[in-house]
Amino acid sequence: YLSNNLNHKMKLRSILFSLTAVQVAAFVPNVPRPAFRTLAPLFVASVEEATLDAEERMEKSVESVIQNMGTVRTGRASPQMLDRVKCDYYGVETPINQMATISVPSAQQLTIDPYDKKTLRDIERAIIEAELGLTPQNDGSVIRLNIPALTEDRRKEMLKQCKAIGEEGKVAIRNIRRSNVEAVKKLEKNGEISEDESKSAQDEIQKLTDKKVKEIDGIVEKKEKEVMKV
């Protein structure tokens, strides 16, 4: 019963986190780019729950960094460049990668082949309004995007974006660490765990924090190399 109850709590917390976590808007113009919010106080029933919760939420933050980093332009064509572009589809804001097949016929070009050809103009407009610096070419069947080579100034701008995405991800990781450590300390204060158990749990959460921060640093470094590659 206790095991099922714990799993149920964790699922609820995971759902709530998914609904409330703020992701980086990856510098797509016209899309609000809010900062990560300070997390609300966390309540856990055990040190195991606190550690598991921290690990799950930190992993979501890393995944968000990976997703947002993929939308940063390099000099090569990548479908991920369009991940944040949304189009009005029968009144619903829909990512265009759910409305069309996005292919990479060459290193400098993307093609967008809509499942519903009636949406061609709407997708074209969405790309223009996203201000990606790309000019869509609509031939009535597919949309082609030629990816221009990055200038030196543009590369420097992209590097700043990479660092900012990584930093916001690390801020999110540290906020999670703080909320979960505070939850563990509260268990100790209430006499539900010993001082040794509290210290051990805090050390474990810190190890998770260091690990995830290092992962984000690696993601940023890899993307920076892609940006600087001519």
Side-chain angles (χ1 to χ4, degrees):
Y1 171 78
L2 290 175
S3 176
N4 290 336
N5 189 39
L6 177 59
N7 289 335
H8 181 63
K9 285 183 180 178
M10 294 306 300
K11 287 179 180 178
L12 285 175
R13 183 169 290 110
S14 178
I15 292 171
L16 287 172
F17 176 76
S18 298
L19 292 173
T20 60
V22 182
Q23 296 184 336
V24 184
F27 302 89
V28 177
N30 299 329
V31 178
R33 185 173 163 272
F36 285 97
R37 298 189 186 100
T38 300
L39 299 179
L42 177 69
F43 300 96
V44 295
S46 66
V47 293
E48 292 81 9
E49 184 179 345
T51 303
L52 180 59
D53 176 86
E55 185 173 15
E56 288 184 347
R57 293 196 289 159
M58 286 181 185
E59 184 58 35
K60 287 180 184 293
S61 294
V62 173
E63 290 172 359
S64 179
V65 169
I66 293 172
Q67 180 183 10
N68 288 311
M69 202 67 78
T71 65
V72 176
R73 269 191 58 193
T74 64
R76 298 178 64 84
S78 168
Q80 285 72 38
M81 295 167 61
L82 303 176
D83 279 357
R84 296 276 175 185
V85 181
K86 295 184 179 181
C87 176
D88 184 284
Y89 188 58
Y90 293 102
V92 178
E93 285 292 299
T94 307
I96 64 172
N97 59 15
Q98 295 179 14
M99 300 171 59
T101 299
I102 302 176
S103 305
V104 186
S106 73
Q108 303 300 129
Q109 188 180 81
L110 290 174
T111 59
I112 304 164
D113 186 2
Y115 305 129
D116 180 355
K117 300 300 182 182
K118 295 178 181 178
T119 64
L120 267 169
R121 289 190 178 278
D122 292 330
I123 292 175
E124 179 183 8
R125 187 184 309 113
I127 294 171
I128 293 172
E129 291 177 352
E131 297 181 4
L132 299 175
L134 303 174
T135 303
Q137 299 175 0
N138 182 353
D139 68 3
S141 178
V142 299
I143 294 173
R144 291 181 173 81
L145 292 175
N146 292 317
I147 314 300
L150 294 177
T151 63
E152 188 64 26
D153 287 343
R154 186 62 172 163
R155 289 181 193 278
K156 290 178 180 178
E157 184 181 338
M158 295 296 102
L159 290 178
K160 290 180 181 178
Q161 292 183 9
C162 292
K163 290 184 185 299
I165 291 173
E167 189 55 40
E168 291 200 23
K170 289 190 285 188
V171 168
I173 296 291
R174 290 168 184 143
N175 281 343
I176 294 167
R177 180 197 65 79
R178 183 171 60 252
S179 68
N180 285 65
V181 165
E182 288 174 353
V184 169
K185 289 180 177 179
K186 188 166 292 186
L187 289 176
E188 179 187 355
K189 182 179 180 180
N190 294 339
E192 298 178 51
I193 60 173
S194 67
E195 183 179 349
D196 287 344
E197 288 175 315
S198 175
K199 185 178 185 305
S200 177
Q202 291 179 54
D203 288 345
E204 185 63 28
I205 292 171
Q206 184 59 54
K207 288 178 182 177
L208 282 171
T209 301
D210 295 340
K211 177 183 177 182
K212 296 305 179 182
V213 166
K214 188 175 181 180
E215 284 183 27
I216 290 176
D217 285 338
I219 294 167
V220 173
E221 183 179 357
K222 179 181 178 182
K223 189 65 178 185
E224 286 177 338
K225 288 180 180 179
E226 290 178 9
V227 170
M228 293 306 296
K229 186 175 181 180
V230 179

